[in-house]
Amino acid sequence: MKPAMTRKEFRQLVTEVLATLPRDIASRIENVEVVVEDEPTAAQIRGVGLDPQQDTLFGLYEGVPLHERGHDYAALPDKISIFYLPIIESCTSIAEVRDEIRTTVLHEVAHFFGIGDDDLDEWGY
Ligand SMILES: [Zn+2]
């Protein structure tokens, strides 16, 4: 059964996880906006090559990875979305939710650094 946890508590947990990231990672993602959403849109799921009828996402990075930026790069801040409902529905305890948030944040931060899903799969993220 999914843990009883409001969206507000979930958001608080995301804030806590972000505060525990290693300093050199945290300082590099200062311009990345981290937002909590209920769930991904069908377009977001399709955008990463999945089927909205069957698949969902725990998190999503949207933006231009560091290595693809020119020296004069200027744009809206990048965004990492963390999806509340898919995560809590896949977990049975608050400790598990915390772990899943941490894994998801690190996964999406890795995309910001230009690391692809194939490598992340290999490393268990
Ligand atoms: Zn990914």
Side-chain angles (χ1 to χ4, degrees):
M1 211 178 87
K2 71 181 185 196
M5 182 178 232
T6 65
R7 187 176 150 142
K8 196 174 166 208
E9 289 163 340
F10 183 87
R11 184 190 299 273
Q12 180 59 39
L13 209 48
V14 171
T15 304
E16 280 174 39
V17 168
L18 290 173
T20 64
L21 290 180
R23 182 189 272 277
D24 47 337
I25 291 180
S27 65
R28 288 215 194 196
I29 59 164
E30 271 167 7
N31 292 321
V32 181
E33 187 187 6
V34 179
V35 299
V36 172
E37 304 284 358
D38 279 346
E39 55 190 335
T41 64
Q44 286 176 318
I45 295 171
R46 264 187 242 110
V48 295
L50 296 175
D51 176 358
Q53 306 286 358
Q54 297 176 31
D55 303 306
T56 190
L57 296 170
F58 286 175
L60 182 66
Y61 163 77
E62 292 167 297
V64 179
L66 281 183
H67 66 101
E68 290 174 18
R69 296 177 182 190
H71 67 280
D72 55 352
Y73 175 82
L76 290 173
D78 287 3
K79 189 167 92 167
I80 290 174
S81 303
I82 306 294
F83 298 113
Y84 166 62
L85 292 173
I87 291 179
I88 66 162
E89 279 163 11
S90 78
C91 292
T92 55
S93 70
I94 288 174
E96 214 179 308
V97 171
R98 182 191 300 270
D99 283 351
E100 202 57 74
I101 290 172
R102 187 175 173 82
T103 303
T104 302
V105 167
L106 289 173
H107 180 110
E108 303 312 330
V109 167
H111 285 322
F112 171 72
F113 288 115
I115 300 167
D117 278 316
D118 290 346
D119 287 327
L120 288 168
D121 276 350
E122 237 166 79
W123 307 334
Y125 278 99

